[in-house]
Amino acid sequence: MPLGNISIAWGAAGAAAALSASMYYAAGVPSSQVFGPSLVKQSNARAVALTFDDGPSESTPAVLDALAEAQARATFFQVGSNARRLPEIARRVALEGHEIAGHTETHPRFYLCTPAMIARDIERGQRSLESVHGVAPRLFRPPYGARWFGMYPIVERLGLRVVMWSLSSRDWERPAEWIAQHVGTHTRPGDVVLMHDGDTTHPGDRRQGTARALRAILAAYRAQGLRAVTVSDLFGLTT
Ligand SMILES: [Zn+2]
């Protein structure tokens, strides 16, 4: 009996560990399709899609300048409250030919939210971006890349496509030189690259490192014959 109890105890612990590992994979691993479909990478493309999350911020113009110099296009996953705070910068992104996508209103951690809270924040974010840009985006990325229970029903109701990424720049935790080297050498054709032009968790921490790294990344792409395009162009979406 004691042995049996031990076995049951270990079995329960193992099941719990397996469950949390599979939940981590389902919700957090960018290529996971467990909760629903996500665009991750376009394997037969010759181009790449740079994506910028969490803006607009005071750092966004420097990112736009770097993109314009290289005649590159990108996709910006804007936070609704940030777009309302800086509407001129939010609109400059679209005016310069980049794609606007949704990233919620307040950037919550979905795994701490009820489905109703998730739905409300996504809808408010869409409405904010519509009020700033005159049109609601068709692409969406969850904050922290965390898909969760209740997200896909609202995403489907709003007709949104979910976009994850295949290469992270880790620009929230690394200096410009590291970001440039990492992204410049690891990007492959068809990649969706995660970067940030805003910072929702440390508002005082500007993204100048990302803008500096971006110039070196775009130079590396040019040398490799890689074109930087929007997510919709990369995947051939008619949004
Ligand atoms: Zn974000």
Side-chain angles (χ1 to χ4, degrees), residues 171-196:
D171 60 347
W172 66 92
E173 60 181 1
R174 298 286 181 158
E177 296 68 26
W178 190 96
I179 300 164
Q181 167 75 13
H182 176 67
V183 177
T185 56
H186 288 94
T187 302
R188 297 290 171 265
D191 268 335
V192 176
V193 182
L194 172 69
M195 302 186 83
H196 295 80

PDB file of all heavy atoms in Angstrom, residues 171-196:
ATOM      1  N   ASP A 171      14.437  42.430 -27.913  1.00  0.00           N
ATOM      2  CA  ASP A 171      14.885  43.825 -27.785  1.00  0.00           C
ATOM      3  C   ASP A 171      14.455  44.468 -26.480  1.00  0.00           C
ATOM      4  O   ASP A 171      14.854  45.580 -26.181  1.00  0.00           O
ATOM      5  CB  ASP A 171      14.426  44.660 -28.996  1.00  0.00           C
ATOM      6  CG  ASP A 171      12.905  44.698 -29.157  1.00  0.00           C
ATOM      7  OD1 ASP A 171      12.195  43.890 -28.504  1.00  0.00           O
ATOM      8  OD2 ASP A 171      12.427  45.530 -29.948  1.00  0.00           O
ATOM      9  N   TRP A 172      13.621  43.778 -25.709  1.00  0.00           N
ATOM     10  CA  TRP A 172      13.236  44.331 -24.404  1.00  0.00           C
ATOM     11  C   TRP A 172      14.276  44.032 -23.334  1.00  0.00           C
ATOM     12  O   TRP A 172      14.210  44.550 -22.226  1.00  0.00           O
ATOM     13  CB  TRP A 172      11.877  43.777 -23.963  1.00  0.00           C
ATOM     14  CG  TRP A 172      11.874  42.314 -23.691  1.00  0.00           C
ATOM     15  CD1 TRP A 172      12.096  41.706 -22.483  1.00  0.00           C
ATOM     16  CD2 TRP A 172      11.656  41.253 -24.630  1.00  0.00           C
ATOM     17  NE1 TRP A 172      12.030  40.335 -22.629  1.00  0.00           N
ATOM     18  CE2 TRP A 172      11.765  40.043 -23.933  1.00  0.00           C
ATOM     19  CE3 TRP A 172      11.391  41.224 -26.006  1.00  0.00           C
ATOM     20  CZ2 TRP A 172      11.607  38.787 -24.567  1.00  0.00           C
ATOM     21  CZ3 TRP A 172      11.241  39.996 -26.628  1.00  0.00           C
ATOM     22  CH2 TRP A 172      11.340  38.801 -25.912  1.00  0.00           C
ATOM     23  N   GLU A 173      15.254  43.189 -23.651  1.00  0.00           N
ATOM     24  CA  GLU A 173      16.199  42.780 -22.600  1.00  0.00           C
ATOM     25  C   GLU A 173      17.650  42.796 -23.069  1.00  0.00           C
ATOM     26  O   GLU A 173      18.530  42.409 -22.313  1.00  0.00           O
ATOM     27  CB  GLU A 173      15.839  41.372 -22.099  1.00  0.00           C
ATOM     28  CG  GLU A 173      15.889  40.319 -23.190  1.00  0.00           C
ATOM     29  CD  GLU A 173      15.508  38.933 -22.691  1.00  0.00           C
ATOM     30  OE1 GLU A 173      15.182  38.801 -21.508  1.00  0.00           O
ATOM     31  OE2 GLU A 173      15.544  37.986 -23.509  1.00  0.00           O
ATOM     32  N   ARG A 174      17.909  43.209 -24.286  1.00  0.00           N
ATOM     33  CA  ARG A 174      19.274  43.158 -24.818  1.00  0.00           C
ATOM     34  C   ARG A 174      19.682  44.516 -25.391  1.00  0.00           C
ATOM     35  O   ARG A 174      18.833  45.266 -25.857  1.00  0.00           O
ATOM     36  CB  ARG A 174      19.362  42.109 -25.932  1.00  0.00           C
ATOM     37  CG  ARG A 174      19.063  40.696 -25.480  1.00  0.00           C
ATOM     38  CD  ARG A 174      20.207  40.129 -24.678  1.00  0.00           C
ATOM     39  NE  ARG A 174      19.918  38.758 -24.260  1.00  0.00           N
ATOM     40  CZ  ARG A 174      20.869  37.886 -23.931  1.00  0.00           C
ATOM     41  NH1 ARG A 174      22.133  38.241 -23.956  1.00  0.00           N
ATOM     42  NH2 ARG A 174      20.539  36.673 -23.551  1.00  0.00           N
ATOM     43  N   PRO A 175      21.002  44.811 -25.417  1.00  0.00           N
ATOM     44  CA  PRO A 175      21.456  46.079 -26.003  1.00  0.00           C
ATOM     45  C   PRO A 175      21.398  46.047 -27.540  1.00  0.00           C
ATOM     46  O   PRO A 175      21.307  44.977 -28.150  1.00  0.00           O
ATOM     47  CB  PRO A 175      22.912  46.187 -25.519  1.00  0.00           C
ATOM     48  CG  PRO A 175      23.327  44.790 -25.226  1.00  0.00           C
ATOM     49  CD  PRO A 175      22.083  44.034 -24.822  1.00  0.00           C
ATOM     50  N   ALA A 176      21.493  47.233 -28.129  1.00  0.00           N
ATOM     51  CA  ALA A 176      21.328  47.372 -29.577  1.00  0.00           C
ATOM     52  C   ALA A 176      22.287  46.480 -30.361  1.00  0.00           C
ATOM     53  O   ALA A 176      21.896  45.863 -31.355  1.00  0.00           O
ATOM     54  CB  ALA A 176      21.508  48.835 -29.974  1.00  0.00           C
ATOM     55  N   GLU A 177      23.535  46.404 -29.909  1.00  0.00           N
ATOM     56  CA  GLU A 177      24.533  45.627 -30.659  1.00  0.00           C
ATOM     57  C   GLU A 177      24.146  44.154 -30.695  1.00  0.00           C
ATOM     58  O   GLU A 177      24.292  43.481 -31.713  1.00  0.00           O
ATOM     59  CB  GLU A 177      25.920  45.798 -30.021  1.00  0.00           C
ATOM     60  CG  GLU A 177      26.467  47.220 -30.060  1.00  0.00           C
ATOM     61  CD  GLU A 177      25.694  48.186 -29.162  1.00  0.00           C
ATOM     62  OE1 GLU A 177      25.076  47.748 -28.150  1.00  0.00           O
ATOM     63  OE2 GLU A 177      25.668  49.400 -29.493  1.00  0.00           O
ATOM     64  N   TRP A 178      23.663  43.651 -29.574  1.00  0.00           N
ATOM     65  CA  TRP A 178      23.255  42.235 -29.510  1.00  0.00           C
ATOM     66  C   TRP A 178      22.052  41.993 -30.418  1.00  0.00           C
ATOM     67  O   TRP A 178      22.006  41.008 -31.159  1.00  0.00           O
ATOM     68  CB  TRP A 178      22.904  41.864 -28.065  1.00  0.00           C
ATOM     69  CG  TRP A 178      22.707  40.383 -27.863  1.00  0.00           C
ATOM     70  CD1 TRP A 178      23.639  39.489 -27.421  1.00  0.00           C
ATOM     71  CD2 TRP A 178      21.507  39.629 -28.123  1.00  0.00           C
ATOM     72  NE1 TRP A 178      23.093  38.227 -27.389  1.00  0.00           N
ATOM     73  CE2 TRP A 178      21.790  38.279 -27.810  1.00  0.00           C
ATOM     74  CE3 TRP A 178      20.235  39.958 -28.582  1.00  0.00           C
ATOM     75  CZ2 TRP A 178      20.852  37.261 -27.947  1.00  0.00           C
ATOM     76  CZ3 TRP A 178      19.288  38.955 -28.730  1.00  0.00           C
ATOM     77  CH2 TRP A 178      19.593  37.622 -28.418  1.00  0.00           C
ATOM     78  N   ILE A 179      21.067  42.891 -30.366  1.00  0.00           N
ATOM     79  CA  ILE A 179      19.857  42.746 -31.187  1.00  0.00           C
ATOM     80  C   ILE A 179      20.231  42.719 -32.668  1.00  0.00           C
ATOM     81  O   ILE A 179      19.757  41.869 -33.433  1.00  0.00           O
ATOM     82  CB  ILE A 179      18.884  43.923 -30.913  1.00  0.00           C
ATOM     83  CG1 ILE A 179      18.462  43.983 -29.440  1.00  0.00           C
ATOM     84  CG2 ILE A 179      17.651  43.820 -31.809  1.00  0.00           C
ATOM     85  CD1 ILE A 179      17.838  45.316 -29.037  1.00  0.00           C
ATOM     86  N   ALA A 180      21.094  43.658 -33.066  1.00  0.00           N
ATOM     87  CA  ALA A 180      21.482  43.752 -34.481  1.00  0.00           C
ATOM     88  C   ALA A 180      22.174  42.473 -34.937  1.00  0.00           C
ATOM     89  O   ALA A 180      21.871  41.932 -36.004  1.00  0.00           O
ATOM     90  CB  ALA A 180      22.396  44.954 -34.679  1.00  0.00           C
ATOM     91  N   GLN A 181      23.099  41.976 -34.114  1.00  0.00           N
ATOM     92  CA  GLN A 181      23.841  40.762 -34.464  1.00  0.00           C
ATOM     93  C   GLN A 181      22.903  39.553 -34.513  1.00  0.00           C
ATOM     94  O   GLN A 181      22.927  38.758 -35.455  1.00  0.00           O
ATOM     95  CB  GLN A 181      24.951  40.555 -33.411  1.00  0.00           C
ATOM     96  CG  GLN A 181      25.626  39.198 -33.425  1.00  0.00           C
ATOM     97  CD  GLN A 181      26.596  39.080 -34.600  1.00  0.00           C
ATOM     98  OE1 GLN A 181      26.923  40.090 -35.223  1.00  0.00           O
ATOM     99  NE2 GLN A 181      27.027  37.868 -34.914  1.00  0.00           N
ATOM    100  N   HIS A 182      22.038  39.424 -33.511  1.00  0.00           N
ATOM    101  CA  HIS A 182      21.139  38.282 -33.394  1.00  0.00           C
ATOM    102  C   HIS A 182      20.158  38.233 -34.568  1.00  0.00           C
ATOM    103  O   HIS A 182      20.038  37.216 -35.258  1.00  0.00           O
ATOM    104  CB  HIS A 182      20.370  38.380 -32.066  1.00  0.00           C
ATOM    105  CG  HIS A 182      19.348  37.319 -31.858  1.00  0.00           C
ATOM    106  ND1 HIS A 182      19.671  35.990 -31.677  1.00  0.00           N
ATOM    107  CD2 HIS A 182      17.992  37.379 -31.803  1.00  0.00           C
ATOM    108  CE1 HIS A 182      18.573  35.285 -31.528  1.00  0.00           C
ATOM    109  NE2 HIS A 182      17.531  36.111 -31.601  1.00  0.00           N
ATOM    110  N   VAL A 183      19.471  39.338 -34.797  1.00  0.00           N
ATOM    111  CA  VAL A 183      18.455  39.355 -35.862  1.00  0.00           C
ATOM    112  C   VAL A 183      19.125  39.331 -37.242  1.00  0.00           C
ATOM    113  O   VAL A 183      18.669  38.641 -38.154  1.00  0.00           O
ATOM    114  CB  VAL A 183      17.518  40.573 -35.712  1.00  0.00           C
ATOM    115  CG1 VAL A 183      16.510  40.622 -36.850  1.00  0.00           C
ATOM    116  CG2 VAL A 183      16.795  40.515 -34.365  1.00  0.00           C
ATOM    117  N   GLY A 184      20.227  40.080 -37.372  1.00  0.00           N
ATOM    118  CA  GLY A 184      20.902  40.149 -38.669  1.00  0.00           C
ATOM    119  C   GLY A 184      21.422  38.806 -39.137  1.00  0.00           C
ATOM    120  O   GLY A 184      21.416  38.508 -40.328  1.00  0.00           O
ATOM    121  N   THR A 185      21.856  37.950 -38.205  1.00  0.00           N
ATOM    122  CA  THR A 185      22.438  36.670 -38.612  1.00  0.00           C
ATOM    123  C   THR A 185      21.439  35.507 -38.559  1.00  0.00           C
ATOM    124  O   THR A 185      21.660  34.495 -39.213  1.00  0.00           O
ATOM    125  CB  THR A 185      23.655  36.297 -37.727  1.00  0.00           C
ATOM    126  OG1 THR A 185      23.235  36.281 -36.364  1.00  0.00           O
ATOM    127  CG2 THR A 185      24.769  37.288 -37.895  1.00  0.00           C
ATOM    128  N   HIS A 186      20.343  35.634 -37.805  1.00  0.00           N
ATOM    129  CA  HIS A 186      19.431  34.492 -37.669  1.00  0.00           C
ATOM    130  C   HIS A 186      18.180  34.569 -38.531  1.00  0.00           C
ATOM    131  O   HIS A 186      17.410  33.612 -38.589  1.00  0.00           O
ATOM    132  CB  HIS A 186      19.012  34.313 -36.199  1.00  0.00           C
ATOM    133  CG  HIS A 186      20.119  33.774 -35.342  1.00  0.00           C
ATOM    134  ND1 HIS A 186      20.959  34.584 -34.626  1.00  0.00           N
ATOM    135  CD2 HIS A 186      20.539  32.505 -35.121  1.00  0.00           C
ATOM    136  CE1 HIS A 186      21.854  33.836 -33.994  1.00  0.00           C
ATOM    137  NE2 HIS A 186      21.617  32.573 -34.274  1.00  0.00           N
ATOM    138  N   THR A 187      17.930  35.712 -39.177  1.00  0.00           N
ATOM    139  CA  THR A 187      16.726  35.825 -39.998  1.00  0.00           C
ATOM    140  C   THR A 187      16.844  34.930 -41.232  1.00  0.00           C
ATOM    141  O   THR A 187      17.886  34.905 -41.896  1.00  0.00           O
ATOM    142  CB  THR A 187      16.513  37.284 -40.452  1.00  0.00           C
ATOM    143  OG1 THR A 187      16.431  38.116 -39.301  1.00  0.00           O
ATOM    144  CG2 THR A 187      15.215  37.405 -41.245  1.00  0.00           C
ATOM    145  N   ARG A 188      15.764  34.198 -41.493  1.00  0.00           N
ATOM    146  CA  ARG A 188      15.684  33.370 -42.702  1.00  0.00           C
ATOM    147  C   ARG A 188      14.508  33.863 -43.532  1.00  0.00           C
ATOM    148  O   ARG A 188      13.561  34.445 -42.991  1.00  0.00           O
ATOM    149  CB  ARG A 188      15.466  31.893 -42.325  1.00  0.00           C
ATOM    150  CG  ARG A 188      16.599  31.275 -41.533  1.00  0.00           C
ATOM    151  CD  ARG A 188      17.868  31.087 -42.387  1.00  0.00           C
ATOM    152  NE  ARG A 188      19.027  30.694 -41.588  1.00  0.00           N
ATOM    153  CZ  ARG A 188      19.937  31.539 -41.095  1.00  0.00           C
ATOM    154  NH1 ARG A 188      19.817  32.848 -41.305  1.00  0.00           N
ATOM    155  NH2 ARG A 188      20.947  31.102 -40.377  1.00  0.00           N
ATOM    156  N   PRO A 189      14.533  33.599 -44.860  1.00  0.00           N
ATOM    157  CA  PRO A 189      13.388  34.034 -45.685  1.00  0.00           C
ATOM    158  C   PRO A 189      12.072  33.508 -45.106  1.00  0.00           C
ATOM    159  O   PRO A 189      11.987  32.354 -44.696  1.00  0.00           O
ATOM    160  CB  PRO A 189      13.694  33.390 -47.041  1.00  0.00           C
ATOM    161  CG  PRO A 189      15.177  33.247 -47.071  1.00  0.00           C
ATOM    162  CD  PRO A 189      15.570  32.929 -45.652  1.00  0.00           C
ATOM    163  N   GLY A 190      11.080  34.375 -45.077  1.00  0.00           N
ATOM    164  CA  GLY A 190       9.773  33.982 -44.560  1.00  0.00           C
ATOM    165  C   GLY A 190       9.558  34.231 -43.090  1.00  0.00           C
ATOM    166  O   GLY A 190       8.449  34.037 -42.579  1.00  0.00           O
ATOM    167  N   ASP A 191      10.611  34.664 -42.395  1.00  0.00           N
ATOM    168  CA  ASP A 191      10.470  34.891 -40.951  1.00  0.00           C
ATOM    169  C   ASP A 191       9.556  36.078 -40.640  1.00  0.00           C
ATOM    170  O   ASP A 191       9.530  37.069 -41.383  1.00  0.00           O
ATOM    171  CB  ASP A 191      11.837  35.176 -40.310  1.00  0.00           C
ATOM    172  CG  ASP A 191      12.506  33.916 -39.779  1.00  0.00           C
ATOM    173  OD1 ASP A 191      11.786  32.948 -39.468  1.00  0.00           O
ATOM    174  OD2 ASP A 191      13.746  33.904 -39.669  1.00  0.00           O
ATOM    175  N   VAL A 192       8.854  35.952 -39.517  1.00  0.00           N
ATOM    176  CA  VAL A 192       8.155  37.081 -38.894  1.00  0.00           C
ATOM    177  C   VAL A 192       8.979  37.435 -37.658  1.00  0.00           C
ATOM    178  O   VAL A 192       9.170  36.597 -36.775  1.00  0.00           O
ATOM    179  CB  VAL A 192       6.713  36.712 -38.491  1.00  0.00           C
ATOM    180  CG1 VAL A 192       6.048  37.880 -37.762  1.00  0.00           C
ATOM    181  CG2 VAL A 192       5.905  36.305 -39.716  1.00  0.00           C
ATOM    182  N   VAL A 193       9.513  38.651 -37.624  1.00  0.00           N
ATOM    183  CA  VAL A 193      10.457  39.054 -36.582  1.00  0.00           C
ATOM    184  C   VAL A 193       9.754  39.941 -35.552  1.00  0.00           C
ATOM    185  O   VAL A 193       9.120  40.937 -35.905  1.00  0.00           O
ATOM    186  CB  VAL A 193      11.653  39.816 -37.196  1.00  0.00           C
ATOM    187  CG1 VAL A 193      12.662  40.187 -36.112  1.00  0.00           C
ATOM    188  CG2 VAL A 193      12.314  38.972 -38.283  1.00  0.00           C
ATOM    189  N   LEU A 194       9.873  39.561 -34.289  1.00  0.00           N
ATOM    190  CA  LEU A 194       9.254  40.316 -33.186  1.00  0.00           C
ATOM    191  C   LEU A 194      10.191  41.414 -32.684  1.00  0.00           C
ATOM    192  O   LEU A 194      11.308  41.127 -32.245  1.00  0.00           O
ATOM    193  CB  LEU A 194       8.935  39.363 -32.027  1.00  0.00           C
ATOM    194  CG  LEU A 194       8.470  40.021 -30.723  1.00  0.00           C
ATOM    195  CD1 LEU A 194       7.091  40.645 -30.884  1.00  0.00           C
ATOM    196  CD2 LEU A 194       8.472  39.010 -29.577  1.00  0.00           C
ATOM    197  N   MET A 195       9.717  42.669 -32.774  1.00  0.00           N
ATOM    198  CA  MET A 195      10.450  43.793 -32.195  1.00  0.00           C
ATOM    199  C   MET A 195       9.438  44.689 -31.463  1.00  0.00           C
ATOM    200  O   MET A 195       8.248  44.381 -31.445  1.00  0.00           O
ATOM    201  CB  MET A 195      11.209  44.576 -33.285  1.00  0.00           C
ATOM    202  CG  MET A 195      12.200  43.714 -34.055  1.00  0.00           C
ATOM    203  SD  MET A 195      13.249  44.622 -35.221  1.00  0.00           S
ATOM    204  CE  MET A 195      14.524  45.216 -34.099  1.00  0.00           C
ATOM    205  N   HIS A 196       9.905  45.786 -30.877  1.00  0.00           N
ATOM    206  CA  HIS A 196       9.019  46.669 -30.100  1.00  0.00           C
ATOM    207  C   HIS A 196       9.357  48.128 -30.375  1.00  0.00           C
ATOM    208  O   HIS A 196      10.537  48.502 -30.344  1.00  0.00           O
ATOM    209  CB  HIS A 196       9.159  46.389 -28.599  1.00  0.00           C
ATOM    210  CG  HIS A 196       8.701  45.014 -28.206  1.00  0.00           C
ATOM    211  ND1 HIS A 196       9.489  43.904 -28.383  1.00  0.00           N
ATOM    212  CD2 HIS A 196       7.529  44.581 -27.679  1.00  0.00           C
ATOM    213  CE1 HIS A 196       8.817  42.835 -27.957  1.00  0.00           C
ATOM    214  NE2 HIS A 196       7.625  43.210 -27.531  1.00  0.00           N
TER     215      HIS A 196
END
